[in-house]
Amino acid sequence: RAGPVAEEEIAAFNETVAGFAASLNAVSQRESAAAAAARARELDRFCADADIEVGVNVVGRGGAALPPARVKQLALDQGFGETASGAFERRGPDGAVVIGLRLLDGAAPGAAGLSFALDVPHVADPVARLEEMGRVAEAFAQALGGELVDDERRPLGAAGFAAISRSLGEVAHRMEAHGIPAGGALARRLFS
């Protein structure tokens, strides 16, 4: 997420490796700085296309505020843990964040809404995680008398979820084809 390494940095690294090898009377094999920089730019372009966060929002019907204490209790009941910033995270068996949950800006004492977030490169099987997130968001909407909406505040129903699911399936397939499976160690390193 910080962009590709510059050719000058690669050249400096190559010189360091060559110097170390020479100090041991050894030989090192290195890719040229220009070729490595070109691969880094290509990888960065691919990552930019795959770096997706999907959001599903719950807002109160008719603009009604959502009570933060009730939201917190629901989050804890649904397996979320509270972070130091006051957001919530639901983690998978491996400890990685599967779903994020934060309050949308609103005037106290209530929240204008909730935003559930799925960081696609960081989760294994993004399509299944989207389905899970949809079920959780729907449970919150029902419990809070709210409705599911997209980022434009348009109602989000089955057709919208199906379209998002198809897109995520394509992204996951492209990541797998590049040898960077979503949710894997390499994806988590690249997309951090």
Side-chain angles (χ1 to χ4, degrees):
R1 289 181 172 162
V5 174
E7 187 171 338
E8 296 79 27
E9 291 177 76
I10 296 169
F13 176 77
N14 279 350
E15 288 176 24
T16 301
V17 170
F20 179 72
S23 74
L24 300 173
N25 289 325
V27 179
S28 64
Q29 294 182 345
R30 300 167 312 281
E31 183 176 24
S32 77
R39 281 190 325 105
R41 286 188 299 273
E42 179 185 327
L43 178 61
D44 185 60
R45 278 190 297 275
F46 166 75
C47 289
D49 289 341
D51 194 5
I52 298 168
E53 181 180 85
V54 175
V56 173
N57 305 299
V58 174
V59 296
R61 294 193 188 278
L66 305 176
R70 179 75 176 121
V71 169
K72 180 176 181 174
Q73 188 57 55
L74 285 168
L76 296 174
D77 291 347
Q78 289 283 337
F80 286 83
E82 190 170 11
T83 67
S85 68
F88 297 90
E89 297 173 335
R90 189 177 196 181
R91 295 182 176 270
D94 64 354
V97 175
V98 177
I99 302 171
L101 169 61
R102 54 191 174 261
L103 298 176
L104 294 175
D105 291 335
L114 307 173
S115 182
F116 293 85
L118 180 71
D119 191 352
V120 175
H122 283 258
V123 298
D125 196 353
V127 173
R129 298 293 71 81
L130 174 67
E131 291 171 5
E132 175 186 349
M133 187 171 74
R135 287 190 303 272
V136 171
E138 182 60 40
F140 272 73
Q142 289 178 3
L144 297 168
E147 62 182 326
L148 297 180
V149 297
D150 64 16
D151 288 339
E152 309 296 319
R153 300 293 194 268
R154 294 181 303 236
L156 185 59
F161 273 100
I164 296 168
S165 182
R166 282 190 300 276
S167 294
L168 291 187
E170 292 169 8
V171 169
H173 178 72
R174 286 196 314 268
M175 289 182 72
E176 187 75 36
H178 273 81
I180 309 168
L186 181 55
R188 289 181 184 162
R189 276 191 17 229
L190 281 171
F191 291 93
S192 60

